[in-house]
Amino acid sequence: TLLLVWPVFPYVVLGIVLSFLLHPLERRLQRVIPSAGVRAGLLTLLTTLLVLLPLVYAAQRVTRELGSAAQLDRMRQLLENARLWLENHQAQVVAAGMVEAVEQGQSFLLSNIPNLFGSVFHIALGIFVCLFVFYYFTKEGADIWQALVDAIPLPQRMKLVIHEGVAGI
């Protein structure tokens, strides 16, 4: 189980921390919305919007800038002008090195595209796990905490101290 959870463990911790940080807001919503599931769903939706909207906007801006045909044509023209200038100034070795570096960079990018998609999938899975954990810790956090405290091999007196310390939050 640990090996299955380990790749997304940081996202699990992030979900728990977000649940803890938004607990005061959840307590305030408790007065207005009696259903724990609705409160947790509302907070999960709010968290999703606050996190994903800026990320989607930034990704859109970056891909638009990088992917525009004008940018690519301008970059090719700039590289060609630099190569010609270097050759006109008797720097053929530098020009050849520049062309070789660009070709190596291009082949590196093309060979690493599968890794990029794997990373995107891993991050998307992590965000899903984070939101999943956030929802359930917001909805049933007290019960989960109580089960965890009950599973710890401590004297009952210490378990009560732990439970009272968390109940005061």
Side-chain angles (χ1 to χ4, degrees):
T1 303
L2 183 62
L3 291 176
L4 289 173
V5 174
W6 192 252
V8 293
F9 185 72
Y11 297 102
V12 170
V13 172
L14 180 61
I16 294 169
V17 168
L18 280 173
S19 175
F20 177 76
L21 291 175
L22 293 177
H23 184 71
L25 180 59
E26 194 267 336
R27 286 282 192 193
R28 288 186 182 151
L29 284 175
Q30 192 174 16
R31 296 179 205 148
V32 180
I33 303 170
S35 171
V38 173
R39 282 193 314 270
L42 184 64
L43 283 173
T44 303
L45 179 65
L46 176 69
T47 304
T48 303
L49 291 175
L50 289 176
V51 171
L52 288 183
L53 284 180
L55 287 176
V56 168
Y57 177 73
Q60 178 201 21
R61 294 286 300 191
V62 167
T63 54
R64 184 184 308 153
E65 289 295 322
L66 290 177
S68 70
Q71 286 282 46
L72 292 175
D73 289 340
R74 197 169 82 183
M75 190 179 301
R76 285 188 191 115
Q77 186 62 41
L78 179 65
L79 287 172
E80 183 61 24
N81 290 343
R83 186 187 63 78
L84 290 174
W85 185 87
L86 287 169
E87 286 179 358
N88 288 336
H89 289 84
Q90 284 72 32
Q92 286 83 5
V93 174
V94 175
M98 182 185 73
V99 169
E100 182 181 334
V102 168
E103 289 173 357
Q104 285 179 352
Q106 184 180 16
S107 67
F108 174 79
L109 285 175
L110 290 175
S111 66
N112 283 315
I113 284 177
N115 293 339
L116 174 67
F117 286 119
S119 296
V120 169
F121 175 75
H122 179 73
I123 291 170
L125 175 67
I127 290 172
F128 174 77
V129 167
C130 176
L131 292 173
F132 183 81
V133 168
F134 174 76
Y135 173 81
Y136 279 101
F137 265 80
T138 302
K139 182 180 177 194
E140 301 175 13
D143 295 335
I144 294 171
W145 180 254
Q146 185 59 46
L148 180 67
V149 169
D150 289 342
I152 297 174
L154 291 174
Q156 189 63 30
R157 187 180 86 243
M158 291 185 79
K159 289 181 184 182
L160 288 173
V161 170
I162 292 171
H163 184 66
E164 288 172 4
V166 172
I169 293 179

